[in-house]
Every structure is written in C-alpha cells, then in structure tokens.
Amino acid sequence: MAICEIKKMGNPVLRREADTVPDPTAPEIKALVEDMFDSMRAASGIGIAAPQIGVSKQVMIFHVPDEDAPGNDPETRQKVIDNPLTVLVNPAIEVLDETMEEGWEGCLSVPGLTGLVPRYKKIRYTGTTPEGEKIERVASDFHARVVQHEFDHLLGVLYPHRMRSNASLIFTSEIEHLEDKPTEEELA
Ligand code: NI
C-alpha cells in the first residue's frame, strides 16, 4: 500500500491508451488497486484510473454516487466517498441514451480547475473485479458521468478534451462568480 504521486495533464501516460489486463485476478492487480485507493483517498477524490498513478493498465475505481444525492448539500461529497467502492478491470461502456448533458467536472490530474463537460445521460458498463466477478450495471446522470470520466482515462482522454468550449474552463477558486455553480460532488 502506498500513496503515489498523481500524474498531471501533460504527462504522456495520461494520453496513452491503457493496456488490457490479461488476468484481472493477478496479485499485482490487487496491489495496484490498493495503491490507487490510497492515492485517491489522500487526494479526496471519488474516482481514479491506473494511468493517473503512472500505470498504463485498464483499471479504474470509483465510489458510486447515490442517484438521489442532493446536489448542493455540502455533505454530499463526503457521502459519496463513504459509498462502497467499485473496481473495474478491462471495463467497457455502451451508450443507452444518446442524449448528452453538460455538467461540471474536476480531475485529480488537472488540479485547481473545473469545466463543463458533455456526457451521455445513460450508459451500461461492464467489467471484471480483481476477485474475478463480472459487473454489469446501468447508470444515468452523475453516476454515468463519473464512469465516463474514469473510462476516458483508459482511452488517454482528459475531460478538457471533451469540452465543447474552453470558455468554461475555470479555476475552482473562482466558482463563486458563476451563476450556475457546480455542486461539491461535481468537483471531485
Ligand atoms: Ni480524472
């Protein structure tokens, strides 16, 4: 277990397509997930992907937000962090609703900034856990957004690359000037 340095935008590992993991149940994957968890927790994130700690493998972890989480509740983010962790090795995403909605996102690899990102409203995602269990879930709204964000890391894509306009890429510290303020959880 270790807290690792989180790679930041500009590091080539974040722009690379991550490698498929041949055996999701390998001990090295369990160790990798522990390092990812420790690093995410130390940075107060709600999700992280392996490339963010410099390992180009298709592994992502996140806390599933409650579908009915109150958006502006200051305790919402803490609640999300307290939710059970999902670990996905070799994940895949299928779009179930082509509708895209814009929402605020932040990223541990793009510290200090936040931006408006279009994401599919509803998806199905699949993957394998390090215990060898298959996961298949339907997700919408913020849950779907978190999954799409982390999955993008495995494609070598960061949220600023998905933004329709960089006019909404701002420093989190200046959010008070926005009329449409992002919620706490959206900044995680
Ligand atoms: Ni991120």
Side-chain angles (χ1 to χ4, degrees):
M1 287 174 46
I3 295 171
C4 305
E5 181 202 356
I6 293 180
K7 308 299 180 188
K8 298 190 182 64
M9 185 163 63
N11 191 303
V13 74
L14 296 172
R15 293 295 275 151
R16 195 178 298 152
E17 210 174 308
D19 294 333
T20 304
V21 176
D23 177 10
T25 63
E28 68 185 56
I29 298 303
K30 286 194 177 69
L32 169 62
V33 167
E34 285 191 11
D35 287 350
M36 289 167 63
F37 180 81
D38 292 346
S39 308
M40 176 185 73
R41 184 50 67 97
S44 298
I46 63 171
I48 196 169
Q52 291 182 275
I53 60 166
V55 178
S56 193
K57 292 186 193 303
Q58 289 186 24
V59 182
M60 57 188 251
I61 68 175
F62 54 94
H63 296 283
V64 176
D66 294 333
E67 301 277 355
D68 60 348
N72 290 321
D73 188 330
E75 294 172 8
T76 295
R77 182 165 158 191
Q78 188 57 48
K79 281 186 193 155
V80 172
I81 288 175
D82 288 343
N83 282 349
L85 191 74
T86 293
V87 180
L88 294 180
V89 182
N90 301 332
I93 284 182
E94 178 191 350
V95 177
L96 298 181
D97 184 343
E98 297 279 343
T99 309
M100 297 190 97
E101 284 183 343
E102 288 204 317
W104 292 94
E105 290 185 23
C107 180
L108 298 177
S109 294
V110 192
L113 294 173
T114 184
L116 266 181
V117 186
R119 297 288 186 189
Y120 293 111
K121 189 172 167 52
K122 192 174 182 186
I123 61 169
R124 174 183 291 117
Y125 65 91
T126 57
T128 306
T129 72
E131 289 73 40
E133 177 198 352
K134 301 281 181 201
I135 287 186
E136 178 177 338
R137 287 187 196 141
V138 172
S140 54
D141 301 311
F142 190 60
H143 181 181
R145 176 174 298 278
V146 169
V147 174
Q148 288 171 84
H149 177 115
E150 300 308 335
F151 184 73
D152 260 355
H153 279 298
L154 308 182
L155 302 175
V157 174
L158 298 174
Y159 82 79
H161 310 134
R162 294 287 191 202
M163 293 173 63
R164 292 190 174 122
S165 160
N166 60 18
S168 71
L169 187 64
I170 64 168
F171 283 94
T172 311
S173 56
E174 302 294 337
I175 270 168
E176 58 185 284
H177 302 296
L178 276 183
E179 285 183 18
D180 179 20
K181 289 190 183 119
T183 63
E184 288 280 317
E185 64 178 19
E186 285 169 340
L187 298 175

